[in-house]
Amino acid sequence: MSVPSSPLTSSPTSHYPGRVLLIQIASGAAAFAATALLAPLLLLFKLELWGSVIFALAKVAFVALVIIGAITALRMRSHRFALRALSLRSDSVDSTDLRALDAVPASATFSFFTISAAASLLIFVPDVRPTALDDGRTASLIVLAITLLSAVSIPHYVLVRRATLRLFELPPIEATTLLLRDQGRKVAPRIRRRILLSIAAPVMLVGAGAVLLAHAHARTSLEESRKQTAVVLARAVLDSPAQALSGPADQDAIRAARDLGFATTIVRDTPPDLNAAHAAGVSLTRAEGGKLVASVPLDESRAIVQFSADLPADALVPGVLAAFIATLVAAAAGLALGRAMSRDVDRAAKRVRSLAGIDLRADPPPTEIRDLARFDVIQRLEEAVETLTERFRVFAIAQERGLNARETAQRVRGLLFASVSHDLKSPLNAILGFADLLTSEDLTPAQAESLDLIRTRGRELLGLIETILDAARVEARQLKLSPRAIELEWLLTEAARKAADLVGEKVTSPIVEVDPGLPAVLVDPTHGTRAIAVIVAHALRTIVEDPGARPVRLQAHPAPAGNLAIDIVYGSQEGAADMGVLVGTPAMARARGLILGLSLSRRVIELHHGHVAVDALPDGRAVCRVLFPAAPPARRRRAPRSSPDLPPIARATFRPLDACLRRKSGAE
């Protein structure tokens, strides 16, 4: 798990819940505010009704937004662990968490619309409904609110989707790949659904708006017509002297008007009130049930005519039917367009998937699929895929050339090392041979000292050349090992002798300790001995530089998992900077030509299926432990004798190293 350097508050995930909540609240407020502003214009409400409509819509909006905010907070709380893991760039985020976050835009938009639409029905509640609105106008107001909520839901989904997509830049690539692979199976249905909604939904909204406008204008026209009818009825039929209104003909006229929907009442006002009514003229008010009440002043009285201006139920059928047919046509066009685009996307996806099985070094594949694309966006996508494929092809060719050049350089370097080393080794063997012959002659002390120096430096140079030869063979994978069962005492003694030759100086010989009863070790006599000798020579070189150092010790003892351990205990704290070479880490070149030998020793030991570990004693001296596999029981030899005059090393100092090697052996 990796932790970003930026604080948690600057991560996109910390703002995501608040951003989603803000989008929902702003969308709901915008939809209800647009309903309040457009109701007088679209539904032809009178301005005196505007205040009561705004107040009713404000109460509905408050209830809807509170419920939406509570549901959004609970939904974001269910994603808090995934959001926190994304903010920390944790590897614990999987495709299931991403799939749940991917469903947030659709679920948030669905809950926003359903809750807001359900809250709009509260306008029918008597405590919320404006008193001056009849049932028809109230229903028109609710339909207008739901229509505008549907229109606002589209940008609502886009904004939430955009905020969610920013989160998919944070998870590990494996989880995103699994999500995309899973979503790839559903891409065609999703494309068809979204294109269907993008075409059919606007047509449906426009149709609903057109029906509302037609209904509002028809209602207003009907109200004005019935108002004129009421005025004509009152003035033409009922405008008679007060004493004549109780006649049979007048009563029949009142009953006939009531049968036509005009409930008429004659009010006899006093002269001052009657004069005021004449001055005000015809007035039109709305009763509690939504019916219209026309007050018509007559000569000696005032007629109160109550009537209804509701349109018949079948008046909306033509408009609704036309909107429904237009929506069906748009849906059919959307389905056809969605199928065409999904086919193009499927072809493009197959094209991309086919790139996984092609040879990038070969000629480019044919591009007949791109010619079948019906949409410009798909064609641009396929062109981008082709461009990316061509770049990968160039990269693959360059990488192959680089690998070939690297292999060629390694082979040339190995051949060069081997050739030069052989050319150096042949004359050097002659020099050492003649130096050995001169030792049988009578020499002066100065001559003997010079001859000994020649022999020492020659053997050191010969060991370096052999190391270069072996390193070239290992690099070229041509080093052939012949492991066989060898007694540990002989192996350590021979390694100590070769180490003294490599050092080439008068140093104290290493102390060899072998536990009794140990089996033989399975190593190559030549290369295995030389690998141990190089490490021992490095240890001897450190005590040469430190006059107060202790002798170097070599101890063999059993190890876990059927291995045998050889502990090389340094006598000085010097040389610790070079020990990293034995475990595969860079080191300082302080070992005077033995750095290459130490690296080669580690690789040779690993070729024997062995291991090298480095630890330190409490006094700071280094300990190198070499593990070799024990020989099979059928190939074991008799146990070597241990040196009785050699003190054992304290086991307590090797406990951390033993535990480390046991864990490593168990893991393998």
Side-chain angles (χ1 to χ4, degrees):
M1 182 178 69
S2 60
V3 180
S5 58
S6 59
L8 183 63
T9 55
S10 63
S11 174
T13 58
S14 61
H15 304 293
Y16 178 71
R19 187 176 291 112
V20 174
L21 182 61
L22 179 62
I23 291 172
Q24 292 199 315
I25 293 177
S27 300
F32 286 109
T35 303
L37 292 175
L38 296 177
L41 301 177
L42 299 179
L43 303 181
L44 302 179
F45 288 173
K46 293 184 178 180
L47 293 180
E48 56 266 19
L49 298 177
W50 198 2
S52 60
V53 170
I54 292 177
F55 185 66
L57 289 174
K59 291 188 286 186
V60 171
F62 176 77
V63 173
L65 295 180
V66 168
I67 298 175
I68 291 173
I71 293 178
T72 302
L74 292 176
R75 179 179 289 113
M76 292 297 105
R77 182 175 177 81
S78 65
H79 298 296
R80 65 185 184 280
F81 296 111
L83 293 175
R84 181 170 179 81
L86 286 175
S87 66
L88 298 176
R89 308 293 178 92
S90 173
D91 295 336
S92 61
V93 180
D94 55 12
S95 59
T96 304
D97 299 326
L98 298 182
R99 194 177 297 110
L101 289 174
D102 184 62
V104 168
S107 60
T109 305
F110 179 77
S111 62
F112 163 78
F113 175 74
T114 53
I115 293 173
S116 301
S120 301
L121 299 177
L122 295 176
I123 299 178
F124 273 122
V125 177
D127 294 337
V128 180
R129 173 178 173 176
T131 57
L133 289 184
D134 57 352
D135 293 341
R137 291 182 181 273
T138 304
S140 299
L141 181 61
I142 293 175
V143 173
L144 177 63
I146 295 176
T147 303
L148 294 177
L149 286 171
S150 302
V152 171
S153 297
I154 298 176
H156 174 277
Y157 176 81
V158 173
L159 293 175
V160 178
R161 187 73 179 173
R162 181 180 179 183
T164 305
L165 288 178
R166 295 183 59 189
L167 301 179
F168 289 88
E169 302 174 359
L170 305 177
I173 188 64
E174 295 82 5
T176 307
T177 302
L178 290 176
L179 176 64
L180 293 177
R181 187 178 302 168
D182 179 66
Q183 296 293 340
R185 306 185 187 99
K186 309 173 184 177
V187 63
R190 294 179 70 176
I191 289 176
R192 288 195 292 268
R193 287 197 302 268
R194 291 181 180 180
I195 293 181
L196 173 63
L197 288 175
S198 64
I199 295 178
V203 174
M204 183 180 64
L205 294 178
V206 171
V211 171
L212 283 177
L213 287 175
H215 184 265
H217 283 273
R219 176 187 293 274
T220 303
S221 177
L222 180 61
E223 286 183 358
E224 188 65 26
S225 174
R226 294 182 71 85
K227 173 186 174 184
Q228 296 298 330
T229 301
V231 171
V232 170
L233 174 66
R235 288 180 175 174
V237 178
L238 303 178
D239 194 3
S240 302
Q243 61 273 12
L245 289 176
S246 58
D250 295 326
Q251 294 299 324
D252 291 339
I254 293 175
R255 283 195 295 270
R258 184 177 292 109
D259 293 337
L260 294 175
F262 295 91
T264 306
T265 304
I266 301 301
V267 179
R268 295 183 179 88
D269 293 329
T270 59
D273 295 333
L274 187 60
N275 293 334
H278 278 279
V282 179
S283 62
L284 187 67
T285 58
R286 193 175 296 274
E288 289 290 337
K291 291 186 175 183
L292 296 175
V293 178
S295 177
V296 182
L298 303 177
D299 290 339
E300 299 179 2
S301 61
R302 183 162 52 91
I304 306 298
V305 183
Q306 186 176 8
F307 58 92
S308 175
D310 292 333
L311 289 173
D314 56 354
L316 294 176
V317 173
V320 173
L321 184 60
F324 181 72
I325 293 175
T327 304
L328 287 181
V329 172
L335 285 175
L337 190 63
R339 289 194 185 96
M341 177 167 280
S342 62
R343 282 196 295 268
D344 283 357
V345 172
D346 286 339
R347 290 173 183 148
K350 291 178 181 178
R351 175 74 179 280
V352 174
R353 286 194 293 268
S354 65
L355 296 178
I358 67 172
D359 186 4
L360 292 176
R361 299 167 297 180
D363 294 334
T367 58
E368 66 274 4
I369 296 181
R370 188 186 67 179
D371 299 334
L372 298 175
R374 299 176 177 85
F375 298 91
D376 183 63
V377 62
I378 305 299
Q379 184 174 354
R380 291 200 303 268
L381 174 63
E382 292 180 348
E383 291 175 353
V385 170
E386 290 181 3
T387 303
L388 185 62
T389 304
E390 184 62 29
R391 293 182 181 179
F392 273 114
R393 182 177 291 106
V394 174
F395 174 75
I397 294 174
Q399 187 180 32
E400 183 182 14
R401 292 176 179 174
L403 292 175
N404 293 335
R406 180 180 178 182
E407 293 178 358
T408 303
Q410 289 178 350
R411 286 197 302 270
V412 172
R413 183 176 59 181
L415 292 175
L416 177 64
F417 282 168
S419 176
V420 173
S421 299
H422 278 297
D423 292 341
L424 293 175
K425 190 175 181 181
S426 298
L428 186 59
N429 283 330
I431 294 173
L432 292 177
F434 279 108
D436 290 336
L437 290 177
L438 289 176
T439 56
S440 61
E441 301 293 333
D442 293 334
L443 301 175
T444 62
Q447 291 174 337
E449 183 178 359
S450 299
L451 183 60
D452 185 61
L453 181 61
I454 292 174
R455 294 173 62 195
T456 300
R457 295 306 181 192
R459 284 192 297 269
E460 184 178 353
L461 183 57
L462 182 61
L464 180 59
I465 293 174
E466 290 177 348
T467 300
I468 294 175
L469 274 173
D470 288 343
R473 293 191 187 101
V474 171
E475 191 74 24
R477 299 178 181 178
Q478 296 178 354
L479 184 64
K480 304 297 183 181
L481 299 179
S482 300
R484 61 184 183 183
I486 297 177
E487 299 292 339
L488 276 172
E489 187 174 5
W490 179 89
L491 176 66
L492 298 185
T493 303
E494 186 67 15
R497 184 187 65 77
K498 288 187 176 182
D501 292 340
L502 289 175
V503 174
E505 299 182 15
K506 299 298 182 181
V507 294
T508 304
S509 299
I511 300 175
V512 179
E513 299 177 351
V514 180
D515 287 355
L518 290 181
V521 66
L522 195 62
V523 296
D524 183 281
T526 302
H527 298 95
T529 305
R530 187 179 300 160
I532 301 294
V534 171
I535 302 176
V536 176
H538 182 263
L540 292 175
R541 191 69 59 79
T542 60
I543 66 174
V544 171
E545 300 172 356
D546 186 3
R550 303 179 186 180
V552 176
R553 291 185 176 183
L554 281 73
Q555 183 187 21
H557 56 84
N563 295 319
L564 295 175
I566 300 173
D567 294 332
I568 303 171
V569 184
Y570 281 55
S572 173
Q573 298 180 4
E574 297 292 332
D578 304 322
M579 301 300 289
V581 179
L582 293 173
V583 292
T585 57
M588 298 175 59
R590 298 178 50 194
R592 283 173 39 190
L594 290 179
I595 289 294
L596 178 60
L598 290 176
S599 176
L600 177 63
S601 297
R602 176 180 60 83
R603 300 178 69 175
V604 170
I605 292 170
E606 291 175 351
L607 288 176
H608 281 87
H609 304 288
H611 302 284
V612 181
V614 176
D615 203 353
L617 296 176
D619 58 2
R621 291 182 296 150
V623 179
C624 176
R625 174 165 293 181
V626 179
L627 292 181
F628 279 123
R635 303 177 61 181
R636 290 182 181 175
R637 308 291 180 84
R638 63 181 182 86
R641 293 173 298 175
S642 60
S643 303
D645 55 339
L646 300 178
I649 300 179
R651 293 290 184 183
T653 60
F654 292 97
R655 286 177 183 174
L657 188 59
D658 289 337
C660 175
L661 293 176
R662 280 195 298 269
R663 288 195 299 269
K664 188 170 183 181
S665 300
E668 295 180 349

